[in-house]
Amino acid sequence: MNTIVYEKFKNAFEQKCCQLIIEAYQASLTEKVIQLDWNENDISYELFEKMEANSKRVSKFKIHLSPEFRIPKNVSKTKGFSDKLPRIDLKMAHFALKQEFKYFFEAKRLKEKSSDLKRAYINEGMDRYISEKYPIGCMLGYLLEGKTDETIKGINSLLEKDKRNSEILNLASHKLMKSYYESNHSEIGILKHLIFDFKNISN
């Protein structure tokens, strides 16, 4: 397949995936179902349900969704092997040009004052993309306390502490999302970050 055509389809698919999850986030703010004490998987599943219900997903985008998707990996096929497979929060897929295009979202809870959650965002989120344990996709940050910019500063401080200054998150432009960031990594290039602010959802 022509590389330019492939990249065009891949980028268009990525934009549709981001649009679906952003619209799910916006719907969750309106409905105020999500609670600040929910687990990460609870929030992810609520967003999954809203994406499933979005009429554009089928009629316009033709995207299939899978929550808590097991990522295939070479492991010994003995009892319990599937529990050892890495899992990612959301998989999105679309068939075009005789190919299956896939995109993944990995989510982590965030609080401005919690270094543990920020560290988990790096070690159990970003680094799994960077090491290519997770396939191509985007990070989701579920902000439950504090300010977005201060929380991002905290993540960047930890990266700088790890001598990873070139990998810090930088605010970038996105037509659908104000709290959108990008980080650059020698291994995989640009990693995208969508920060969903839920802290006022219960007001």
Side-chain angles (χ1 to χ4, degrees):
M1 184 194 304
N2 184 293
T3 304
I4 295 173
V5 173
Y6 176 84
E7 287 297 319
K8 183 179 177 182
F9 270 83
K10 187 181 80 168
N11 292 337
F13 172 59
E14 180 182 48
Q15 288 301 313
K16 291 170 185 173
C17 293
C18 289
Q19 182 177 340
L20 280 178
I21 195 122
I22 290 168
E23 288 181 3
Y25 161 63
Q26 291 166 343
S28 74
L29 294 181
T30 301
E31 294 181 17
K32 298 190 175 184
V33 175
I34 292 170
Q35 302 297 311
L36 296 180
D37 63 350
W38 277 15
N39 295 330
E40 168 202 309
N41 288 340
D42 298 330
I43 299 173
S44 293
Y45 196 81
E46 183 66 23
L47 295 178
F48 162 77
E49 285 190 334
K50 285 178 168 44
M51 285 190 288
E52 276 274 286
N54 189 326
S55 61
K56 278 185 284 194
R57 181 185 68 80
V58 175
S59 63
K60 190 176 178 182
F61 296 162
K62 297 178 174 57
I63 289 176
H64 173 73
L65 306 177
S66 302
E68 268 206 289
F69 180 75
R70 286 178 171 87
I71 298 171
K73 185 181 178 183
N74 289 328
V75 294
S76 177
K77 294 284 181 79
T78 56
K79 181 180 177 181
F81 80 92
S82 66
D83 292 331
K84 299 173 185 175
L85 295 174
R87 300 186 189 191
I88 196 161
D89 290 295
L90 291 164
K91 173 196 172 188
M92 307 177 89
H94 172 69
F95 287 95
L97 305 174
K98 298 182 179 179
Q99 297 224 17
E100 183 182 19
F101 290 82
K102 301 175 186 177
Y103 198 74
F104 298 84
F105 290 101
E106 173 63 14
K108 294 294 171 202
R109 295 160 64 245
L110 288 171
K111 296 180 181 180
E112 181 185 329
K113 302 294 185 184
S114 174
S115 291
D116 288 344
L117 290 179
K118 284 178 260 190
R119 176 54 72 186
Y121 185 91
I122 296 170
N123 294 357
E124 298 166 27
M126 291 175 63
D127 285 351
R128 291 178 181 175
Y129 278 117
I130 295 164
S131 67
E132 298 185 80
K133 180 178 182 180
Y134 289 165
I136 183 171
C138 174
M139 282 296 301
L140 300 177
Y142 299 153
L143 185 66
L144 305 176
E145 285 180 13
K147 296 179 180 178
T148 299
D149 57 349
E150 292 300 319
T151 304
I152 297 300
K153 282 181 186 177
I155 292 171
N156 286 342
S157 292
L158 290 174
L159 288 168
E160 289 166 354
K161 185 178 178 182
D162 295 342
K163 303 191 186 316
R164 297 170 62 179
N165 300 50
S166 62
E167 300 178 71
I168 63 170
L169 281 63
N170 294 292
L171 187 63
S173 61
H174 193 291
K175 62 182 180 180
L176 296 174
M177 188 76 190
K178 184 172 70 173
S179 299
Y180 167 71
Y181 296 80
E182 292 181 350
S183 55
N184 211 310
H185 311 277
S186 58
E187 299 87 347
I188 61 167
I190 291 173
L191 178 61
K192 297 174 172 63
H193 306 256
L194 297 173
I195 308 301
F196 292 164
D197 186 346
F198 290 110
K199 66 179 182 293
N200 296 321
I201 204 163
S202 57
N203 292 347

